[in-house]
Amino acid sequence: MASKLMLQAASYVRSKDFRSYLMSTHFWGPVANWGIPLAALADIKKDPSIISGKMTIALLIYSALFMRFAIKVKPRNMLLFACHFTNESAQLIQGYRLVNHEYFQKESSNLQTS
């Protein structure tokens, strides 16, 4: 069963349909776009003082709009959807870190110094 699945996958990779998919914007657009969520995921380990609230909100809106677009466009672009879903998740984490750093950690440090 597994070998049959592998043969079907190998056959699809050699097909004209797959080659045309690789040469389309349905493939290269999302591949180029993966830099945004990968950068956001890499920034999760960095100090939260470098997070821009305005940029985080802009990227949240951008990814939400493009997730909808990826589902509505014909044919559906699930690679683009996955890219923006990952970015939306990473930006939500960054937003949480920003709010926690700006509002909750500063309040607790002010209370301790008083």
Side-chain angles (χ1 to χ4, degrees), residues 45-111:
K45 300 248 185 226
K46 294 182 181 174
D47 186 58
S49 64
I50 65 169
I51 299 171
S52 166
K54 290 178 182 177
M55 192 63 179
T56 300
I57 291 169
L59 286 170
L60 280 168
I61 294 167
Y62 163 75
S63 283
L65 290 172
F66 271 89
M67 277 194 296
R68 183 180 185 284
F69 170 79
I71 294 297
K72 294 290 184 181
V73 71
K74 300 291 183 206
R76 287 186 176 163
N77 193 338
M78 297 311 287
L79 186 58
L80 183 65
F81 180 82
C83 172
H84 285 290
F85 182 81
T86 304
N87 190 43
E88 189 79 15
S89 302
Q91 295 303 328
L92 284 170
I93 292 168
Q94 293 291 67
Y96 168 77
R97 291 179 65 229
L98 176 69
V99 168
N100 189 37
H101 174 73
E102 291 291 325
Y103 298 105
F104 298 117
Q105 286 184 353
K106 285 186 179 181
E107 285 179 11
S108 66
S109 67
N110 287 342
L111 291 174

